[in-house]
Amino acid sequence: MVSSTPAIACGIDFGTSNSTVGWLRPQQATLLPLEDGKPTLPSVVFFNAEDNSVRFGRAGLQDYLDGYEGRLMRSLKSLLGSSLIDGGTEIQGHPIRFRDLLTRFIANLKERAEAQGGRAFEQAVFGRPVHFVDDDSAADRQAEATLGEIARAVGFKELSFQYEPIAAAFHYETGLSREEVVLVADIGGGTSDFSIVRLSPERARAVERWSDVLANDGIHIGGTDFDKQLSLAEVMPLLGHRSQLKNGREIPSSIYFNLATWHTINFAYTRQVWAEQQRLQLDAIAPEMLERLLALIRDRAGHWLAHQVEQAKIALSSQETALLSLERFSPGQQKLLTRSQFDLAALVLVEKIEATLTRLLPEAGVTAAAIDTVFFTGGSSGIPLLRRRIAALFPQARVVEGDLFGSIGAGLAVDAARRYGMG
């Protein structure tokens, strides 16, 4: 799409782990730099209790990792479509609704984009997963409606939605010289989304593209779920998960599941949980494990540990081992993690994603042999086991890796220019 003027609207990829904003402009990068010259803004809000400030993105995460007192909120997108969205929490002694947390983050995202673009944005195309919520169409519609309400509340007067893998397909299409049938595999922080799309330079000129979309499907499994599985399998046992009490019963697991899930970590910090874990330590066969857990709760180090697990997962995507530190609440302790351990922990998720893909081909009315290209995008699409298993389903297709963090935002910008025009 060539024009001498910039697009009227932008494309917004509000992601579970990272967010981007794309805007088509002549001879300039599509993605706007949002923080430190980078196009990604981690979807993080940190309420710094020491100076009573609110920090977003890398700056907020760094404040937390540096040990500032405060409250970290991450994976905010996971609240959409859940019962938690209408609830709230307490931050620095004041109640705040989760809906308002999302509003603050998206308002900040808009402000950063406008500062970099040198103009106000009142129209936008927002990306959305194929399913915000699996197997619940009413909750899915409500999730999109909630995101729309938030977007309007921060100043977007016109907005529309596009499936994230379709947006990635539009970005891939800008580099094509011939027609292809493409499977887009978008493995993000919170969902895995798939589209089979017919793409070509000629088809790219059309405003309405639904006839080119052969099938869409998705499942609510993403990078944070792989973090969770790795944590539960290899890290939480160091804190007592699956260990026993003196009466032979297993220690209740709910706290470990909360600590392994980004958006429920703060549930571990209540007085009730503290008292319960102290009681359990007295009856534990391995009380030293519960001592580590109590130290983590006391130091509010749950997000720090989740970050260590996430970094280990990323490292294991490119190397065979990774060293995970528990230093912040258990000085001197480390855990060596291996690729094979990660593969074993991830297998149940990979198999569910595979099952979603096998449903997609009949819906599209094509065979695996008809797929010309598998296009990977999303930050979690680099997980080796997952990539191997997906590619094996389409042995004749070539495998292309897009911009893992930017393809969706760039594709949403292309779609925004088509829908709202150039200025």
Side-chain angles (χ1 to χ4, degrees):
M1 185 175 296
V2 179
S3 173
S4 60
T5 57
I8 292 171
C10 65
I12 295 183
D13 176 22
F14 168 46
T16 302
S17 299
N18 292 279
S19 296
T20 61
V21 179
W23 182 38
L24 283 191
R25 299 167 291 168
Q27 283 81 52
Q28 294 190 63
T30 299
L31 295 178
L32 293 165
L34 298 176
E35 185 180 25
D36 299 334
K38 298 178 174 65
T40 55
L41 179 70
S43 302
V44 169
V45 183
F46 180 65
F47 294 86
N48 190 318
E50 296 188 26
D51 60 10
N52 200 31
S53 65
V54 182
R55 307 260 276 171
F56 300 88
R58 291 174 188 82
L61 184 58
Q62 193 58 54
D63 271 8
Y64 173 79
L65 295 175
D66 286 343
Y68 286 93
E69 288 292 326
R71 184 78 175 270
L72 184 76
M73 306 297 293
R74 194 176 174 189
S75 294
L76 301 173
K77 187 178 180 180
S78 299
L79 297 167
L80 292 169
S82 79
S83 58
L84 292 174
I85 189 64
D86 292 316
T89 187
E90 187 175 288
I91 295 176
Q92 296 169 27
H94 302 287
I96 184 167
R97 299 191 307 164
F98 289 128
R99 185 183 295 257
D100 294 334
L101 279 173
L102 267 72
T103 301
R104 289 181 98 159
F105 180 81
I106 292 175
N108 183 263
L109 186 63
K110 182 174 187 285
E111 289 167 9
R112 289 169 186 258
E114 290 177 337
Q116 291 297 322
R119 52 155 293 172
F121 288 114
E122 296 184 341
Q123 295 86 15
V125 176
F126 273 73
R128 58 149 294 168
V130 175
H131 302 302
F132 278 106
V133 183
D134 293 339
D135 303 319
D136 190 337
S137 57
D140 188 78
R141 287 192 298 273
Q142 185 57 50
E144 182 180 292
T146 300
L147 183 53
E149 291 163 6
I150 289 170
R152 290 183 181 91
V154 304
F156 288 108
K157 295 180 179 177
E158 292 182 77
L159 61 104
S160 49
F161 292 92
Q162 180 60 270
Y163 289 145
E164 289 158 358
I166 299 295
F170 291 157
H171 173 60
Y172 174 66
E173 188 176 48
T174 60
L176 287 183
S177 58
R178 61 180 178 84
E179 182 167 297
E180 293 184 9
V181 176
V182 179
L183 168 72
V184 180
D186 169 27
I187 318 297
T191 59
S192 295
D193 294 300
F194 305 99
S195 293
I196 297 177
V197 194
R198 202 178 300 278
L199 303 173
S200 74
E202 293 72 31
R203 293 174 186 274
R205 300 189 187 103
V207 174
E208 180 52 63
R209 298 297 303 276
W210 283 112
S211 62
D212 296 331
V213 180
L214 305 184
N216 292 304
D217 206 345
I219 187 169
H220 207 270
I221 292 174
T224 55
D225 299 288
F226 286 94
D227 297 345
K228 179 178 179 178
Q229 290 300 112
L230 179 60
S231 182
L232 287 171
E234 300 296 336
V235 182
M236 290 301 149
L238 300 173
L239 308 182
H241 183 39
R242 296 195 179 282
S243 65
Q244 291 187 325
L245 298 169
K246 292 172 184 175
N247 62 10
R249 299 179 65 182
E250 197 171 277
I251 287 178
S253 62
S254 60
I255 188 171
Y256 301 107
F257 278 80
N258 282 339
L259 287 170
T261 307
W262 275 102
H263 63 279
T264 60
I265 289 171
N266 288 306
F267 294 170
Y269 300 148
T270 66
R271 290 187 186 132
Q272 180 181 349
V273 168
W274 175 260
E276 173 71 2
Q277 299 310 313
Q278 283 187 311
R279 183 185 67 77
L280 289 170
Q281 186 191 19
L282 296 175
D283 294 326
I285 289 177
E288 70 281 1
M289 293 182 176
L290 275 293
E291 181 60 37
R292 292 186 202 116
L293 176 62
L294 288 166
L296 179 148
I297 295 171
R298 184 183 61 245
D299 296 342
R300 292 184 173 241
H303 286 93
W304 180 88
L305 180 58
H307 180 71
Q308 304 308 307
V309 175
E310 180 186 39
Q311 293 305 303
K313 175 199 69 177
I314 293 169
L316 291 171
S317 293
S318 59
Q319 59 197 49
E320 291 299 319
T321 62
L323 201 58
L324 182 138
S325 169
L326 279 68
E327 186 68 32
R328 185 153 170 175
F329 59 90
S330 185
Q333 187 166 18
Q334 296 177 320
K335 166 77 173 178
L336 182 68
L337 300 173
T338 67
R339 171 80 65 80
S340 60
Q341 289 172 329
F342 179 39
D343 286 350
L344 187 61
L347 185 59
V348 63
L349 302 180
V350 172
E351 289 176 342
K352 289 179 180 179
I353 291 170
E354 280 183 315
T356 303
L357 268 173
T358 57
R359 295 197 305 265
L360 195 63
L361 288 170
E363 290 175 18
V366 299
T367 65
I371 304 298
D372 298 306
T373 302
V374 177
F375 180 71
F376 283 106
T377 188
S380 299
S381 67
I383 294 172
L385 177 65
L386 179 61
R387 183 172 288 211
R388 287 198 310 272
R389 296 283 284 260
I390 291 176
L393 295 173
F394 308 95
Q396 294 172 287
R398 71 185 185 119
V399 173
V400 176
E401 181 178 288
D403 180 341
L404 297 189
F405 299 98
S407 290
I408 293 170
L412 290 169
V414 172
D415 201 27
R418 281 202 197 103
R419 294 186 189 215
Y420 297 104
M422 310 298 283

